[in-house]
Amino acid sequence: MSLPRVEVRNGQKVLLVDDKPYILLSGELHNSSSSTLSYMEPIWDKLKAANLNSLLFPVTWQQTEPVEGEFHFELVDGLIEQAKAHDMKFGILWFGAWKNANCSYAPNWVKKDTDRFLRAEGEKGKKVSYFTMFGHKVPYTTLSAFCDATREADARAFAALCRHLKEYDTDHTVILIQVENETGMLGSSRDHSDVADASFNSKVPGKLIEGLLARKEELVEDVRAALDQCQDGTWPEVFGAAADEMFMAYHTASYIEAVAAAGKAEYPIPMYANCWLVQGKQPGEYPSGGPVYRAMEVYQTVAPSLDWLAPDIYIPQFVDTCKKYTKQGNPLFIPEVAMHGGAPGRLIYAVGHHHALCFAPFGIDDLGQQADTFLGQAVGMDVTDKALSEKMDPATYARVNELIGGLTPVLGELYGTKDLDALIREDPDRRTMEFGDVAISAVFEGPMIQQGGGALLAARVAPDTFYLLGLGCMPGFASLDPKRPYFEYLTIEEGAFIDGVWTVSRLLNGDEEHVRFGAPTLLKVQIHLFD
Ligand code: DGJ
């Protein structure tokens, strides 16, 4: 079998695992869950039962290289064996120098040697700043993106991990790697250390200007306007008010590229970077320099070893965020999303409308419990989001995973085409989708309401045949062909793919022809347009 890889099909990046299209029906574990095999043991059973096909969890620099030059892979090997025993895959989150803009996962020998491994300075000369959390004064410190020693040590450890995976993981249980986690700098819009200051007052590299101009159409307005004014000068001269963030993004992306490239040279499986979204008005209120929407083109220019950029979505603006993260050919991959009642519908929508590669509620080990917002607000969760008050129903989520899992070979063929689309209740501006001569609409209101959000996915597999995956809605068909203006159903089969075979549980007709989706249900419908 070939390595897990990304291929462009129908103009869209798809993920291939064992040479077949793969959608990560996944969840991200809490940060500390994968630190021991014993803690992980029951988690696999629980999430396998929820029909997840994969998990995302950290493998940390701290545990991989506790003493400089001494690498330990027993934990990752054990995790691979556990995953195989459960017939699941996983993606590694490489918690290297940064995790949530912080350096808490760097090994102790890195943390202790602040002369060799420089800290960022939010204010000149200050390696630590403070923020308040539930009344406590909490110190914030992070490694500097401008330190060659840190970058080289991080890249060396990551390359060692990738080399080991190549030797040990011959069944390809690890299918992809996230390089670092939610990078950027908090508390200040840029690093003010001497090395950073010198770089800030030097010329913006020509390759960045060229890369941004090549992607000019989709640049955010203020960055595009700045480039229209000046394309040759120092960071403040070229980028004006956006200089600090663009500067941090360039250097953070360059650092991540060095780490990712070192890993890919050993073992070229898909790699990506994730981001803490823009929340708050100023960079520094959210991590400055991470792959936020404003900085995607910087990352695309500077970090070609990354196969995509991924949003961690803890804000109510889910639909808008998904759209933003599909610009410039970036495939939608959601490694973290708030786990609440709306998540099952969001999974259906992300796969159907954006042909997503991954959907992973965060803290999935807590499946069945209320989302934990205790620490959430300190790490970017919008705790005012009303949707958080509704718990994600495990049975609903498990069923959606099961149905999408079975349908994946069909979906994989349709990714990148106009024959696959979806609607979601939380986007009230879109209630109809068009498939050439057929329109499919959905009503989500009133008696349809199930969990926090309904959704409807439609996949056209023949001129007269669709699969419909619905939750909490009523679908309606209409002809768009003036020569055949009338519509009727021929057959409506309710069922699922079981071991790859479409298996009918009921043939719907009579009263049931007025299809209404409550719990997640998959239908195969044959339609007839006539005059
Ligand atoms: C985003 C981070 O990437 C995760 O590691 C975790 O801290 C969550 N936030 C918690 O909400």
Side-chain angles (χ1 to χ4, degrees), residues 28 31 95 99-100 181-182 274 312 314 336 362 372 375-376 379-381:
E28 184 164 321
N31 297 159
F95 282 12
K99 189 279 173 196
N100 289 37
N181 187 77
E182 291 194 353
N274 68 329
D312 294 347
Y314 293 96
E336 297 182 41
F362 182 79
D372 177 12
L375 280 179
V379 289
M381 181 184 279

Short mmCIF file of all heavy atoms in Angstrom, two decimals, residues 28 31 95 99-100 181-182 274 312 314 336 362 372 375-376 379-381, ligand 1:
data_model
loop_
_atom_site.label_atom_id
_atom_site.label_comp_id
_atom_site.label_asym_id
_atom_site.label_seq_id
_atom_site.Cartn_x
_atom_site.Cartn_y
_atom_site.Cartn_z
N GLU A 28 -10.80 15.05 18.68
CA GLU A 28 -9.50 15.34 19.29
C GLU A 28 -9.60 15.09 20.79
O GLU A 28 -10.55 15.55 21.45
CB GLU A 28 -9.04 16.77 19.00
CG GLU A 28 -7.64 17.01 19.56
CD GLU A 28 -6.96 18.26 19.00
OE1 GLU A 28 -7.11 18.54 17.79
OE2 GLU A 28 -6.29 18.94 19.79
N ASN A 31 -5.76 17.22 26.01
CA ASN A 31 -4.30 17.33 25.83
C ASN A 31 -3.50 16.24 26.54
O ASN A 31 -2.45 15.81 26.06
CB ASN A 31 -3.81 18.68 26.32
CG ASN A 31 -4.36 19.86 25.55
OD1 ASN A 31 -4.37 20.97 26.04
ND2 ASN A 31 -4.84 19.65 24.33
N PHE A 95 3.23 18.35 19.54
CA PHE A 95 3.36 19.46 20.48
C PHE A 95 4.86 19.67 20.68
O PHE A 95 5.49 19.05 21.53
CB PHE A 95 2.67 19.12 21.81
CG PHE A 95 1.16 19.25 21.80
CD1 PHE A 95 0.44 19.40 20.63
CD2 PHE A 95 0.44 19.22 23.01
CE1 PHE A 95 -0.94 19.52 20.64
CE2 PHE A 95 -0.94 19.35 23.03
CZ PHE A 95 -1.64 19.48 21.85
N LYS A 99 2.33 25.12 21.91
CA LYS A 99 1.00 24.57 22.11
C LYS A 99 0.16 25.71 22.68
O LYS A 99 0.48 26.21 23.76
CB LYS A 99 1.09 23.38 23.08
CG LYS A 99 -0.18 22.58 23.23
CD LYS A 99 -1.15 23.21 24.17
CE LYS A 99 -2.46 22.50 24.19
NZ LYS A 99 -3.51 23.29 24.80
N ASN A 100 -0.83 26.15 21.93
CA ASN A 100 -1.63 27.33 22.30
C ASN A 100 -0.73 28.54 22.58
O ASN A 100 -0.82 29.15 23.64
CB ASN A 100 -2.48 27.09 23.55
CG ASN A 100 -3.61 26.14 23.30
OD1 ASN A 100 -3.45 25.18 22.55
ND2 ASN A 100 -4.74 26.37 23.92
N ASN A 181 1.05 23.39 17.56
CA ASN A 181 -0.38 23.57 17.86
C ASN A 181 -0.70 25.02 18.19
O ASN A 181 -0.10 25.59 19.11
CB ASN A 181 -0.77 22.69 19.06
CG ASN A 181 -2.26 22.70 19.31
OD1 ASN A 181 -3.02 22.05 18.61
ND2 ASN A 181 -2.70 23.47 20.29
N GLU A 182 -1.61 25.58 17.44
CA GLU A 182 -2.07 26.96 17.67
C GLU A 182 -0.90 27.89 17.99
O GLU A 182 -0.75 28.37 19.11
CB GLU A 182 -3.14 26.99 18.76
CG GLU A 182 -4.44 26.35 18.33
CD GLU A 182 -5.62 26.64 19.24
OE1 GLU A 182 -5.42 27.25 20.32
OE2 GLU A 182 -6.76 26.28 18.88
N ASN A 274 -2.57 24.14 12.45
CA ASN A 274 -3.91 24.58 12.89
C ASN A 274 -3.84 25.97 13.51
O ASN A 274 -2.75 26.48 13.80
CB ASN A 274 -4.49 23.59 13.91
CG ASN A 274 -3.72 23.60 15.23
OD1 ASN A 274 -2.52 23.84 15.26
ND2 ASN A 274 -4.41 23.33 16.32
N ASP A 312 -9.50 25.86 14.21
CA ASP A 312 -10.08 25.27 15.44
C ASP A 312 -11.31 26.13 15.76
O ASP A 312 -11.15 27.31 16.09
CB ASP A 312 -9.07 25.33 16.59
CG ASP A 312 -7.86 24.44 16.32
OD1 ASP A 312 -7.90 23.61 15.40
OD2 ASP A 312 -6.86 24.58 17.06
N TYR A 314 -14.26 27.34 17.81
CA TYR A 314 -14.95 27.42 19.11
C TYR A 314 -15.83 28.66 19.17
O TYR A 314 -16.09 29.19 20.24
CB TYR A 314 -13.93 27.47 20.25
CG TYR A 314 -13.12 26.21 20.40
CD1 TYR A 314 -11.87 26.10 19.80
CD2 TYR A 314 -13.61 25.13 21.12
CE1 TYR A 314 -11.13 24.94 19.93
CE2 TYR A 314 -12.87 23.96 21.26
CZ TYR A 314 -11.63 23.88 20.66
OH TYR A 314 -10.90 22.72 20.79
N GLU A 336 -10.39 20.66 15.43
CA GLU A 336 -11.03 20.94 16.72
C GLU A 336 -12.29 21.74 16.46
O GLU A 336 -12.26 22.73 15.72
CB GLU A 336 -10.12 21.79 17.63
CG GLU A 336 -8.83 21.13 18.02
CD GLU A 336 -8.00 22.00 18.95
OE1 GLU A 336 -8.57 22.63 19.86
OE2 GLU A 336 -6.78 22.06 18.75
N PHE A 362 -13.64 18.60 19.91
CA PHE A 362 -12.55 18.57 20.89
C PHE A 362 -13.03 17.99 22.22
O PHE A 362 -14.14 18.25 22.67
CB PHE A 362 -11.98 19.97 21.14
CG PHE A 362 -10.84 19.94 22.12
CD1 PHE A 362 -9.58 19.55 21.71
CD2 PHE A 362 -11.05 20.20 23.47
CE1 PHE A 362 -8.52 19.44 22.62
CE2 PHE A 362 -10.00 20.10 24.39
CZ PHE A 362 -8.74 19.72 23.95
N ASP A 372 -16.84 21.01 28.32
CA ASP A 372 -16.11 21.60 29.44
C ASP A 372 -15.62 23.00 29.05
O ASP A 372 -14.72 23.16 28.23
CB ASP A 372 -14.92 20.70 29.78
CG ASP A 372 -14.05 21.29 30.89
OD1 ASP A 372 -14.50 22.26 31.53
OD2 ASP A 372 -12.95 20.76 31.10
N LEU A 375 -11.76 25.71 31.34
CA LEU A 375 -10.51 26.31 30.85
C LEU A 375 -10.70 26.93 29.48
O LEU A 375 -9.89 27.71 29.02
CB LEU A 375 -9.43 25.23 30.74
CG LEU A 375 -8.75 24.86 32.04
CD1 LEU A 375 -7.73 23.77 31.81
CD2 LEU A 375 -8.06 26.08 32.65
N GLY A 376 -11.80 26.55 28.85
CA GLY A 376 -12.02 26.93 27.46
C GLY A 376 -11.82 28.40 27.17
O GLY A 376 -11.21 28.78 26.18
N VAL A 379 -8.38 29.56 26.53
CA VAL A 379 -7.69 29.07 25.33
C VAL A 379 -8.56 29.24 24.08
O VAL A 379 -8.50 28.44 23.16
CB VAL A 379 -7.25 27.59 25.49
CG1 VAL A 379 -6.10 27.50 26.47
CG2 VAL A 379 -8.39 26.71 25.94
N GLY A 380 -9.35 30.29 24.07
CA GLY A 380 -10.00 30.68 22.82
C GLY A 380 -11.42 30.24 22.62
O GLY A 380 -12.01 30.51 21.57
N MET A 381 -12.05 29.55 23.59
CA MET A 381 -13.43 29.12 23.38
C MET A 381 -14.38 30.28 23.67
O MET A 381 -14.21 30.97 24.68
CB MET A 381 -13.74 27.95 24.31
CG MET A 381 -15.14 27.40 24.16
SD MET A 381 -15.48 26.11 25.37
CE MET A 381 -14.72 24.70 24.64
C1 DGJ B 1 -7.45 24.67 21.58
C2 DGJ B 1 -6.17 23.88 21.73
O1 DGJ B 1 -5.58 23.68 20.47
C3 DGJ B 1 -6.40 22.55 22.42
O2 DGJ B 1 -5.16 21.93 22.62
C4 DGJ B 1 -7.16 22.74 23.69
O3 DGJ B 1 -6.43 23.53 24.58
C5 DGJ B 1 -8.49 23.40 23.39
N1 DGJ B 1 -8.26 24.67 22.77
C6 DGJ B 1 -9.33 23.54 24.64
O4 DGJ B 1 -10.54 24.19 24.39
#
